[in-house]
Amino acid sequence: MTGAENPDKDLPPEEVGSQSQSQAQSAGQSQAQTQEPVPEGAAEPARDPLAELLSGYAPFEGVPDELMDDQGNVRPVWKDFLDRLAAAPDEEIDLACARGSQYLRDAGVFFRHYGPDSHEERDWPLSHLPLLIDEAEWQQIAAGLVERADLLEQVMADVYGPGQLVEGGLLPPELIAGNPEWLRPMVGVPPRSGHYLHMLAFDIGRGPEGQWWVLGDRAQAPSGAGFALETRMATARSFPALMAETNVARLAGFFRGFRDALLALRAEEDSRVAILTPGPMNDTYFEHAYIARYLGFLLVQGEDLVVRDGRLMVHTVGGLRPISVLWRRLDAEWLDPLELREDSQIGTAGLLSALRSGGLTMVNAPGSGVLETRALMAFIPAIARHFLGRDLALPNIATWWCGSEEAQDYVRENAGRMTIDRALSTSLPFDHSPDAVIGGKHLDGSAWDPEVLAREGGRLAAQQIVSLSTAPALSERKLVARPASLRVILTRTSQGWQVMPGGFARIGQSGTSADVSMQRGGSVCDVWVVGQQQAPDDTLLAATTDARPSLPQLAALPTRAADNLFWLGRYSDRVEQKIRLQRAYHLRMAEYGRADMPLIEMLAGYLDSMGVEAAKPLPEGLMADLEAAMGSAGRVRDRFSTDGWNALTDLKRTADKLAPRLKPGDDAARALSVLLRKISGFSGLVHENMYHATGWRFLSLGRAIERAWTTSGVLAAFSDPAAPVGAYEIAIEAGDAVMTHRMRFSATFTRETVLDLLLLDENYPRSVLAQLDDILTHLDWLEKLTADFSRKPSPIRRAVMKLQTELATARPEEIPPERLVQIAAACADLSGLLAETYLR
């Protein structure tokens, strides 16, 4: 037989999707038995809060439970926590859960749900109650996973090296050579670091006898580290006092060790560590951005990178900069269109050649996805005995590759207790393909033909049906039992493998299914490793062990990120300008009550030229610019503050809420004033709180160029002597200069006073001349990045200097209307000149 020994011992009787709850009373139920009626005059029995909390808790029959032992008693690790939780008033528990959920919303934590018609962002599905595990038990889990990680490293080294496992009959050759995850170009390419694997994730669960089993090995591009940290932060917001009193192990030391390990792998002192993401449409993009910001690494996409002379380089606004450590978060087949998938648009041509040159370390090495193959689990026990001389302390679930007659015969006889699916699949046991067979039936309930094994046995693998242990979840202020699996993350450091003390658990949506997938309604909870002593305070800010000097960060801004920050500045200012003009229109509609006035018609026509239908309070053109601003911000989440993101999303939510019910006139004007305050608050927050480095410069350049263009455009239209009466006032309103104009000039608006203030006054921060001054200041700063002072002024500098000199020496009465049109066009051209200089 191929696969696990003693298979009858490994197979539990339950079937996925049909786990029944125990009819016997649990400890929680027994504590909450219905009381006999209290005789009249007798004292009411004392309230038992813990019994009330546990009154609905019923573990599944025959399945281990994380809260209660097999005798129905609450496990010791849970007792103090539950006593404190039960003593809390119901409203306090509700508030605690609300705090955790609000934290995740404020932090913008989401996952991307893939449905038949959309790829929508959904809130991170937090199950507020943490899962508690005793430190002693966790140490056993950690030791078993470290042992397995070392074994997988040996397997990787063999299948991309001498191939002794295949030669010795321990692995069928078709499981390697026929596996799309086995990358032939990587054969014989030793990793520069000496290790193929630097980060692993394991999905584990308890078997029917209470032992932990590995459900899946995640080695391709394991996710979860960032989500585990954010889940911990949310749970800490929910139960800060309980967490402080429960001796929970901290996570910061784990991340600090991994950060320092990657920094130590750099090939040169001036090279960088980067995280390679597929981009914002990936279902775990938030995690990529969050962990890059948390650890201080560059977040890059394939288009940001280029290979030059065997070295991997990143396009930055200061030129090409070397990257010698790349933590990839996309599957290997998409990495290099030259040697792998030629249709990949998210990879980098020549990336594998950079690995072969020895100047790049990749986390993990391309081709490590072969370790996730379902059928490989059938051979892990024998491989362990080959390399280690013993069985693994933490085995995987029993698996059979159906490529041998012996395995086929056994699977036929026991199909009613197995899942049969694709042998080369890398999905977890409960993530089935449409062709999967569970308990002898297809997913649609039709009967399965066992003879398929004879025809396609080598393409199939069978696994014991997964009956996950149950864990407590909060439901209507009571505990309920839900199936759970744990994701545990390991990283390689200078001291060897380090295990995250906790990770997170995935919780099933109901008590009738073992499916814990978030795509199908599952949730996630924090995992607390509870010790006997108070865990010491820890922080990521502890001194790094890397003795090399800090890298200069000024030029370390990928051009793609700079471009998105630039357009965020443009779109946000464009939204503000449109809101001001739209408000001016509706204020006059409220004043005159008619749209056929010359000034109102002119204003409507100008808004129409900007793509805004003036008659609508919140027209599509305005909302589209707001969506574009959010899109640009979303693509630079690693460089964008949480407060800034919250301010922007709050603006969008407010606009969406107001849009359907607004009426033209005063109602619309007041609503637009609300949005104007919010967009102004966003701009102030970002520009005041963001560190004034390269990213802030491009954000500010976008705002300045947009403001110079729109302001000069408004002046060209509304300062025309032929414009209707009241046009000068609209120009002043659009420039938010009503009070300033009154202080500097008389109450009367003239063309000269309007141009003097909004075009030529360097001290007024919204004037065109002030914007040109700002642009030159930012260009001065950016040009220092290249340190090439022998070059002639760039095209954008020459254009800005020409305009700035003209306006600095001009008088308002000397500027004819047609010149304002030319100035607006020249300001619009600055965007292309900036891109030509810095964003190519």
Side-chain angles (χ1 to χ4, degrees):
M1 188 183 308
T2 304
E5 288 76 10
N6 300 322
D8 287 319
K9 177 178 180 293
D10 294 330
L11 287 173
E14 292 78 26
E15 295 183 4
V16 171
S18 61
Q19 292 176 327
S20 61
Q21 292 192 356
S22 172
Q23 299 304 310
Q25 297 294 320
S26 69
Q29 290 173 303
S30 63
Q31 294 179 54
Q33 293 286 347
T34 301
Q35 300 290 329
E36 292 293 330
V38 179
E40 185 175 353
E44 290 286 343
R47 177 174 175 264
D48 188 343
L50 180 58
E52 293 177 9
L53 184 67
L54 295 169
S55 61
Y57 196 79
F60 300 162
E61 185 176 9
V63 177
D65 184 74
E66 302 300 329
L67 177 62
M68 295 179 176
D69 60 23
D70 54 7
Q71 303 299 315
N73 299 313
V74 173
R75 297 181 186 274
V77 71
W78 282 94
K79 191 174 185 312
D80 289 344
F81 177 87
L82 289 185
D83 285 340
R84 293 185 177 95
L85 185 67
D90 288 344
E91 58 272 17
E92 185 176 319
I93 295 177
D94 291 342
L95 181 60
C97 294
R99 282 198 304 267
S101 298
Q102 186 63 50
Y103 168 81
L104 293 172
R105 285 192 294 271
D106 289 345
V109 185
F110 70 90
F111 77 103
R112 194 170 296 281
H113 178 265
Y114 293 97
D117 302 317
S118 66
H119 298 166
E120 60 180 343
E121 293 180 4
R122 292 191 176 179
D123 290 341
W124 187 243
L126 179 66
S127 180
H128 298 87
L129 197 70
L131 176 63
L132 276 58
I133 298 179
D134 185 77
E135 183 181 37
E137 182 177 20
W138 186 259
Q139 289 175 351
Q140 295 178 354
I141 294 172
L145 293 179
V146 167
E147 181 185 58
R148 188 176 186 87
D150 285 333
L151 179 66
L152 294 182
E153 174 72 30
Q154 290 178 285
V155 173
M156 252 318 258
D158 182 80
V159 299
Y160 287 101
Q164 294 177 355
L165 294 175
V166 171
E167 183 179 350
L170 291 170
L171 277 177
E174 54 265 52
L175 281 189
I176 303 300
N179 193 331
E181 300 293 344
W182 184 69
L183 304 182
R184 193 176 298 274
M186 296 308 300
V187 174
V189 181
R192 189 185 69 84
S193 68
H195 299 288
Y196 291 87
L197 306 174
H198 298 86
M199 170 173 274
L200 291 168
F202 297 100
D203 289 287
I204 66 174
R206 288 191 194 268
E209 297 181 358
Q211 181 186 12
W212 290 98
W213 295 80
V214 174
L215 306 175
D217 304 307
R218 317 314 289 173
Q220 168 81 267
S223 64
F227 285 130
L229 186 58
E230 279 290 49
T231 302
R232 168 63 58 86
M233 295 292 289
T235 308
R237 293 293 181 90
S238 292
F239 306 110
L242 281 172
M243 185 174 181
E245 297 166 356
T246 311
N247 299 337
V248 181
R250 309 298 185 187
L251 301 182
F254 170 85
F255 287 99
R256 185 176 65 251
F258 185 51
R259 178 200 63 188
D260 293 350
L262 294 189
L263 288 173
L265 290 174
R266 289 177 294 159
E268 312 94 358
E269 289 187 358
D270 66 338
S271 66
R272 284 171 169 76
V273 179
I275 300 176
L276 177 61
T277 175
M281 292 306 295
N282 184 263
D283 58 342
T284 57
Y285 174 73
F286 170 82
E287 181 187 38
H288 307 166
Y290 175 79
I291 206 72
R293 185 169 63 237
Y294 183 67
L295 297 179
F297 296 153
L298 285 179
L299 184 67
V300 299
Q301 297 182 30
E303 65 188 88
D304 299 327
L305 306 175
V306 65
V307 176
R308 292 284 186 269
D309 300 324
R311 300 179 71 196
L312 183 64
M313 313 291 285
V314 57
H315 288 286
T316 76
V317 296
L320 294 177
R321 295 290 187 269
I323 289 176
S324 60
V325 180
L326 189 65
W327 179 5
R328 66 179 177 91
R329 297 303 304 268
L330 72 159
D331 290 350
E333 62 177 332
W334 305 98
L335 284 173
D336 189 341
L338 289 182
E339 300 193 55
L340 299 172
R341 285 192 61 149
E342 62 181 16
D343 61 336
S344 173
Q345 298 182 15
I346 56 176
T348 302
L351 194 53
L352 295 193
S353 68
L355 284 169
R356 280 193 289 269
S357 72
L360 176 66
T361 295
M362 190 172 289
V363 179
N364 288 327
S368 52
V370 70
L371 301 176
E372 299 182 359
T373 306
R374 176 176 283 123
L376 182 65
M377 281 192 164
F379 303 93
I380 288 294
I383 293 173
R385 288 191 289 272
H386 171 74
F387 280 127
L388 308 177
R390 64 181 185 278
D391 290 328
L392 288 171
L394 204 64
N396 52 254
I397 58 173
T399 305
W400 293 263
W401 176 60
C402 300
S404 71
E405 291 185 7
E406 185 179 6
Q408 292 173 16
D409 290 341
Y410 185 82
V411 171
R412 284 192 192 94
E413 294 173 6
N414 296 275
R417 299 188 294 167
M418 293 183 175
T419 297
I420 304 170
D421 211 337
R422 299 170 185 173
L424 298 182
S425 171
T426 59
S427 62
L428 293 172
F430 38 79
D431 293 332
H432 312 299
S433 73
D435 303 324
V437 174
I438 302 175
K441 295 181 179 180
H442 291 285
L443 294 179
D444 62 4
S446 60
W448 170 66
D449 179 12
E451 295 310 311
V452 73
L453 290 173
R455 299 191 303 270
E456 303 182 24
R459 297 171 54 193
L460 300 173
Q463 289 183 308
Q464 67 181 70
I465 284 179
V466 178
S467 293
L468 298 175
S469 61
T470 52
L474 274 172
S475 177
E476 298 181 354
R477 301 169 185 160
K478 289 184 172 56
L479 300 187
V480 293
R482 294 288 184 262
S485 72
L486 272 65
R487 172 155 292 194
V488 187
I489 300 166
L490 283 70
T491 60
R492 189 186 294 279
T493 69
S494 58
Q495 287 77 41
W497 288 106
Q498 185 174 355
V499 182
M500 180 186 290
F504 62 85
R506 288 188 283 186
I507 307 294
Q509 183 182 25
S510 70
T512 59
S513 173
D515 192 344
V516 298
S517 169
M518 290 192 299
Q519 294 291 335
R520 291 184 287 276
S523 57
V524 174
C525 78
D526 191 13
V527 176
W528 290 3
V529 176
V530 180
Q532 297 298 315
Q533 304 295 326
Q534 178 68 42
D537 289 336
D538 204 353
T539 173
L540 188 72
L541 299 178
T544 177
T545 57
D546 184 26
R548 287 176 287 186
S550 299
L551 295 173
Q553 297 295 321
L554 298 182
L557 180 70
T559 53
R560 174 191 51 80
D563 187 51
N564 279 290
L565 286 165
F566 171 74
W567 279 100
L568 174 60
R570 290 203 64 177
Y571 281 126
S572 59
D573 201 78
R574 187 175 300 177
V575 167
E576 181 180 344
Q577 182 75 339
K578 287 183 177 180
I579 290 175
R580 290 186 184 279
L581 289 170
Q582 187 77 350
R583 184 179 65 168
Y585 174 89
H586 286 281
L587 283 173
R588 281 150 184 81
M589 282 293 296
E591 181 179 356
Y592 298 111
R594 47 188 288 200
D596 58 352
M597 303 282 292
L599 180 61
I600 295 178
E601 289 178 340
M602 178 189 181
L603 185 51
Y606 189 81
L607 283 166
D608 183 68
S609 71
M610 299 177 71
V612 174
E613 188 177 349
K616 292 185 177 181
L618 291 178
E620 288 80 2
L622 173 59
M623 299 298 286
D625 285 335
L626 184 51
E627 289 279 3
M630 291 196 66
S632 295
R635 286 186 281 272
V636 287
R637 289 294 300 275
D638 59 312
R639 297 179 178 272
F640 205 60
S641 74
T642 299
D643 287 338
W645 177 257
N646 289 341
L648 195 57
T649 53
D650 178 57
L651 172 66
K652 179 62 168 57
R653 282 195 300 265
T654 303
D656 289 339
K657 185 178 180 180
L658 291 174
R661 62 174 191 254
L662 289 180
K663 296 179 181 179
D666 183 67
D667 189 37
R670 285 188 287 108
L672 288 163
S673 294
V674 171
L675 297 183
L676 185 59
R677 289 194 294 272
K678 287 182 178 288
I679 188 68
S680 299
F682 163 76
S683 298
L685 178 70
V686 170
H687 287 278
E688 291 298 325
N689 294 354
M690 190 173 179
Y691 185 67
H692 289 193
T694 315
W696 179 82
R697 301 287 173 176
F698 278 91
L699 186 72
S700 300
L701 280 166
R703 182 177 70 164
I705 289 174
E706 182 72 22
R707 186 169 291 179
W709 173 49
T710 56
T711 301
S712 53
V714 166
L715 291 174
F718 293 94
S719 71
D720 192 317
V725 174
Y728 299 157
E729 186 176 355
I730 286 179
I732 290 294
E733 285 182 31
D736 193 23
V738 174
M739 293 300 299
T740 305
H741 187 279
R742 288 175 181 171
M743 287 188 296
R744 283 204 57 202
F745 309 101
S746 67
T748 302
F749 296 103
T750 68
R751 183 175 187 272
E752 287 71 22
T753 60
V754 170
L755 292 184
D756 195 339
L757 181 59
L758 293 181
L759 183 68
L760 306 178
D761 193 337
E762 63 181 6
N763 295 314
Y764 186 61
R766 301 184 71 91
S767 75
V768 176
L769 181 57
Q771 306 313 308
L772 296 174
D773 289 342
D774 283 349
I775 293 171
L776 286 175
T777 298
H778 297 311
L779 292 178
D780 288 341
W781 195 93
L782 290 174
E783 287 169 0
K784 294 177 182 178
L785 298 178
T786 59
D788 185 4
F789 300 106
S790 64
R791 296 189 311 171
K792 294 181 179 179
S794 62
I796 184 173
R797 172 175 281 280
R798 290 199 298 270
V800 175
M801 290 178 65
K802 182 178 180 180
L803 273 177
Q804 192 262 0
T805 301
E806 176 188 351
L807 297 186
T809 58
R811 295 173 61 86
E813 61 271 15
E814 300 171 349
I815 302 175
E818 59 271 18
R819 181 54 188 152
L820 288 173
V821 175
Q822 295 168 353
I823 291 173
C827 290
D829 291 341
L830 296 179
S831 181
L833 294 174
L834 181 76
E836 179 185 335
T837 305
Y838 292 105
L839 302 178
R840 288 182 298 179

